[in-house]
């Protein structure tokens, strides 16, 4: 982890959202750290600050990549993680906000009567990107409707910048987070019980 955290990671540390221990990530890998972004976003003022920053960074990226010719029509995020940051980003951009969710067979889908019109310009916003899997699924849904995903953003990129979504993206903070295959995890070797985040009080 950076010895001098940026303002965004500073917010995570201040609110106890940057956890240390022995965690099983969604990817199945084990890590000594976990980011519980809900603990930052429980404070509406922090959510608003991060949404405003996300909106500014994404607007600048979209303008730069398209010579100012694209107007963002909407923000779309995967539930649950992307809900609050996506909403705050949309508020700051002055556009509408849609979300996708997993149905019973774990397939990401657009429900609740949400519709994208062909040609609409969308940005995909997530809280934390690890492998980019959820964001990629949302990008696919946007394309399915004939809309155009022009950029993606996350509060934190915990891939160290490695994830390639095939569209331009921004992260408010990029981390190189250690993750181990369980077979070679030193925390497992030391006999430390592994915790699935979300299942314990932080
Ligand atoms: Zn382990």
């Amino acid at each position: 982890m950076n010895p001098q955290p940026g303002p965004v990671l500073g917010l995570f540390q201040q609110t106890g959202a940057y956890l240390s221990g022995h965690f099983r990530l969604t990817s199945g890998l084990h890590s000594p750290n976990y980011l519980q972004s809900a603990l930052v976003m429980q404070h509406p003022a922090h959510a608003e600050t991060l949404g405003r920053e996300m909106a500014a960074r994404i607007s600048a990226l979209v303008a730069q990549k398209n010579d100012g010719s694209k107007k963002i029509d909407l923000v779309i995020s995967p539930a649950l993680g992307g809900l609050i940051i996506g909403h705050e980003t949309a508020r700051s951009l002055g556009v509408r906000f849609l979300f996708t969710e997993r149905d019973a067979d774990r397939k990401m889908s657009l429900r609740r009567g949400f519709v994208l019109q062909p040609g609409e310009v969308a940005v995909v916003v997530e809280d934390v990107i690890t492998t980019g899997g959820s964001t990629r699924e949302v990008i696919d849904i946007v394309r399915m409707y004939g809309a155009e995903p022009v950029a993606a953003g996350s509060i934190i990129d915990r891939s160290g910048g490695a994830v390639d979504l095939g569209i331009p993206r921004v992260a408010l903070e990029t981390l190189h987070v250690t993750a181990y295959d369980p077979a070679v995890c030193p925390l497992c070797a030391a006999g430390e019980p592994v915790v699935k985040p979300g299942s314990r009080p932080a």
Side-chain angles (χ1 to χ4, degrees), residues 22 30 185 187-188 194:
H22 182 196
H30 288 192
C185 174
L187 298 161
C188 284
V194 66

Side-chain angles (χ1 to χ4, degrees), residues 71-91:
K71 190 185 149 297
I72 298 168
D73 292 310
L74 62 102
V75 175
I76 183 166
S77 301
L80 289 166
L83 285 185
I84 299 174
I85 186 61
H87 181 266
E88 290 296 325
T89 302
R91 183 210 298 278

Side-chain angles (χ1 to χ4, degrees), residues 22-24 29-31 180-189 192-194:
H22 182 196
F23 302 101
R24 184 188 301 117
L29 299 177
H30 288 192
S31 175
Y180 305 104
D181 189 295
V184 298
C185 174
L187 298 161
C188 284
E192 287 195 35
V194 66

